[in-house]
Amino acid sequence: MKPKHGAGADGPVSRIGEFGLIERILEKFSIRNRRSVLVGPGDDAAVITCGRGAPLVLTTDMLVEGTHFRLEWSCPEAVGFKAVTANLSDVAAMGGAPVGIVVSLGVPASVTTRAVDGLYRGISNALSRFGGELLGGDTVRSERITVSVTAVGVLAGDRPLLRSGARKGDFVCVTGYLGRPELGLLLLRKYVGRYGGSRSSAMLAWARREIRDFRERIPAGMRRDGYACILKHLMPAPRMKDAQLLARQGKNGPSSMIDVSDGLSSDLNQLARASGVHIRVYEKRIPVHPSVVNTARRLGISAALAAVSSGEEYELLFTVPPSRLKSLTRVMSRNGGANLTVIGEVTEAQAVTGRSVVSRRGAVSLVSQGGRQGALTHRGFKHF
Ligand code: ADP
Ligand code: MG
């Protein structure tokens, strides 16, 4: 990539936000080698060709203590597991199958070997379940625990499934059921709370903790559903098999795809923006997980809002022309794939297109239960 130079106004990054910051970074680069770089920045992962080999899928994602997880609300195994999921989910979103990962680990000197063992147990479990090998990494001292993973995969079909392929008239579909991670986090905050002791005792408690320890903290009346939400928040699974199945359908498969990592509201906007289209979704069609319905009722909050804002779902969000939907649904159910729900449609092409990763315009509308239509903007977690 060739850097372009230019001065811009200075100021805190919080003023432009995560997507504004990414856009600002990427504005200064353009791909020089289009023969090797099939998909550059702006999608879930890059796709490159090396020599005469099959195209490779390449992506990276990092978990940082205090931002993505808290010592009180997690355990080492869950952090390792989720670091793999976050990456493999981006490989899945391109229609890829994992080959392996490299892991950069930053830990304070006081972290115990038991904690690192736990982290790598989580990494190992995730790789066994979803595919890929540990290929290497780097180990450094850092103030906060940081796990940065880079994943490499190969395409399962003939071509990558891009964010930019949605066309007017397509249905908008999502796999599985939404909302659990958001409520899992809320329950951890409410019933597990903050640790009052020193950081070193919090680190020791973190190292010894196992995921099932959280179960007892949830009030008995909501324990089953609440724990289901916590499990999905702490150890989410990527949709590897489903993504590969979808990708292998080729011309009969999805026209575009993205994984739900920032929240349905945000990822719908990313998809619409990348495709240069408007999307309309219907609140009543959004598949809310039954555990979310039950838990939200007990907590007195909106299950539907949780389902559109909830990040780190790692479900697949894709578009498909109506003529292909039936066969796609049949293929999925025959192969034990995920439940598919049509939540809306692509209504029109946008006037402005581009490879931008930022969604500033109102590209997505939500029709509420009552039939009112309004703009659906980012409702999930914001880094800045
Ligand atoms: P995802 O949620 O799928 O991981 P992100 O929203 O994190 O995607 O990133 C959007 C796009 O911007 C991706 O293609 C990613 O590779 C790219 N990107 C994000 N951060 C940076 C960065 N610091 N430098 C270069 N590219 C970046
Ligand atoms: Mg993604």
Side-chain angles (χ1 to χ4, degrees):
M1 242 188 176
K2 179 179 67 176
K4 295 175 197 158
H5 297 285
D10 196 8
V13 293
S14 55
R15 198 172 294 160
I16 53 175
E18 178 192 350
F19 295 124
L21 183 58
I22 295 173
E23 187 170 70
R24 189 184 164 94
I25 292 167
L26 295 179
E27 258 169 17
K28 301 180 182 77
F29 292 84
S30 62
I31 303 291
R32 281 177 295 196
N33 183 354
R34 293 221 158 258
R35 218 179 327 148
S36 297
V37 183
L38 306 181
V39 181
D43 217 301
D44 292 296
V47 182
I48 58 171
T49 51
C50 305
R52 264 177 258 142
L56 295 180
V57 181
L58 191 62
T59 182
T60 190
D61 257 288
M62 171 161 65
L63 298 188
V64 177
E65 178 198 339
T67 303
H68 298 91
F69 65 94
R70 298 183 61 101
L71 294 178
E72 305 92 310
W73 302 342
S74 70
C75 57
E77 189 169 356
V79 172
F81 191 96
K82 192 165 174 176
V84 174
T85 289
N87 280 275
L88 294 196
S89 181
D90 279 326
V91 173
M94 301 307 289
V99 172
I101 59 166
V102 288
V103 180
S104 293
L105 181 67
V107 285
S110 61
V111 82
T112 60
T113 49
R114 180 182 182 144
V116 178
D117 288 348
L119 257 170
Y120 276 81
R121 199 164 50 247
I123 289 175
S124 171
N125 285 347
L127 292 176
S128 307
R129 274 183 63 184
F130 311 124
E133 314 286 341
L134 178 65
L135 303 173
D138 190 25
T139 311
V140 299
R141 184 171 57 170
S142 67
E143 222 162 90
R144 286 165 184 265
I145 298 164
T146 305
V147 189
S148 173
V149 175
T150 299
V152 180
V154 287
L155 294 178
D158 298 336
R159 59 186 179 97
L161 286 168
L162 303 179
R163 292 179 178 182
S164 55
R167 295 292 172 263
K168 184 178 174 180
D170 286 356
F171 283 146
V172 178
C173 304
V174 68
T175 56
Y177 298 89
L178 304 174
R180 281 172 293 169
E182 179 88 353
L183 287 197
L185 184 60
L186 212 142
L187 290 171
L188 289 171
R189 200 169 272 158
K190 190 172 165 78
Y191 296 111
V192 177
R194 303 230 165 140
Y195 194 79
S198 68
R199 177 160 161 76
S200 60
S201 58
M203 285 272 270
L204 283 177
W206 180 70
R208 289 196 203 104
R209 198 174 301 123
E210 292 183 21
I211 197 150
R212 59 175 168 267
D213 297 340
F214 291 114
R215 200 169 179 280
E216 304 314 311
R217 307 293 288 269
I218 307 301
M222 58 195 301
R223 190 165 289 155
R224 212 182 59 131
D225 290 316
Y227 187 56
C229 294
I230 288 178
L231 261 183
K232 173 89 174 179
H233 166 67
L234 289 175
M235 292 177 89
R239 289 280 184 193
M240 301 315 298
K241 276 198 194 136
D242 302 285
Q244 289 161 35
L245 206 54
L246 290 170
R248 281 202 299 269
Q249 302 316 306
K251 284 201 202 94
N252 296 317
S255 51
S256 73
M257 190 150 84
I258 184 172
D259 65 325
V260 182
S261 59
D262 293 333
L264 186 67
S265 56
S266 175
D267 295 315
L268 276 167
N269 273 283
Q270 298 297 344
L271 194 80
R273 175 97 185 163
S275 294
V277 295
H278 280 282
I279 285 175
R280 180 163 59 218
V281 292
Y282 301 86
E283 191 179 72
K284 65 176 180 221
R285 292 203 199 154
I286 293 170
V288 184
H289 194 277
S291 290
V292 172
V293 176
N294 294 339
T295 311
R297 194 184 304 126
R298 283 185 161 268
L299 294 174
I301 60 168
S302 159
L305 188 60
V308 295
S309 342
S310 193
E312 299 177 333
E313 295 273 3
Y314 302 117
E315 294 296 346
L316 299 169
L317 175 66
F318 63 92
T319 56
V320 60
S323 59
R324 299 183 204 161
L325 182 69
K326 216 170 169 186
S327 67
L328 212 54
T329 311
R330 203 179 310 130
V331 164
M332 292 294 272
S333 69
R334 266 195 203 146
N335 289 279
N339 180 62
L340 299 185
T341 309
V342 176
I343 59 169
E345 66 261 332
V346 178
T347 50
E348 54 186 300
Q350 247 184 198
V352 182
T353 59
R355 55 140 220 181
S356 170
V357 293
V358 187
S359 52
R360 271 194 225 104
R361 289 159 52 88
V364 182
S365 308
L366 179 74
V367 179
S368 72
Q369 302 270 7
R372 253 185 310 128
Q373 184 164 321
L376 181 65
T377 51
H378 181 112
R379 305 236 171 114
F381 176 78
K382 287 199 170 89
H383 276 282
F384 307 112

